[in-house]
Amino acid sequence: MFIVSLTYKSELSEVDKFINEHVTFLEKYYASGKFIASGRKVPRTGGIILVNASNKGEVDEIIKEDPFHKANVANYEVTEFVPTMASKEFEAIKNCI
């Protein structure tokens, strides 16, 4: 599993030009089972995506499709982790790749 941390490098007015396309991108990867959760950082300086992928290369290829990446309005930090403990409600997360 991977945590993708996006940090905006453009003004929000520029980021917002691509928000609808970004949501479509997110929906595509939720439908495929690759995205587990996502949302905005507070304050709104970027976002977080939890990704169920087999390796970092797969994550990097997914990121290349993000309209924010294509428009060069965000930086991406990718962190791999293996969930070993979870609350009852999130037990299934331990079964991710």
Side-chain angles (χ1 to χ4, degrees), residues 21 38 51 56 69:
E21 294 172 65
S38 60
V51 183
K56 186 177 180 299
H69 180 269

Side-chain angles (χ1 to χ4, degrees), residues 50-87:
L50 295 182
V51 183
N52 182 21
S54 57
N55 57 63
K56 186 177 180 299
E58 181 181 6
V59 176
D60 291 341
E61 289 302 310
I62 291 170
I63 288 170
K64 288 179 184 177
E65 294 182 38
D66 187 351
F68 287 170
H69 180 269
K70 290 178 178 181
N72 200 31
V73 297
N75 289 320
Y76 297 76
E77 180 181 345
V78 178
T79 304
E80 183 173 7
F81 84 107
V82 178
T84 56
M85 295 180 72
S87 67

Side-chain angles (χ1 to χ4, degrees), residues 4-8 15 18-26 28-29 35 47 49 59-76:
V4 177
S5 177
L6 291 76
T7 302
Y8 300 141
V15 171
F18 304 96
I19 197 76
N20 290 335
E21 294 172 65
H22 177 71
V23 170
T24 300
F25 159 79
L26 294 172
K28 171 185 176 180
Y29 282 99
F35 287 179
I49 306 171
V59 176
D60 291 341
E61 289 302 310
I62 291 170
I63 288 170
K64 288 179 184 177
E65 294 182 38
D66 187 351
F68 287 170
H69 180 269
K70 290 178 178 181
N72 200 31
V73 297
N75 289 320
Y76 297 76

Side-chain angles (χ1 to χ4, degrees), residues 31-42:
S32 74
K34 291 296 177 185
F35 287 179
I36 299 166
S38 60
R40 293 178 175 173
K41 293 179 180 178
V42 177

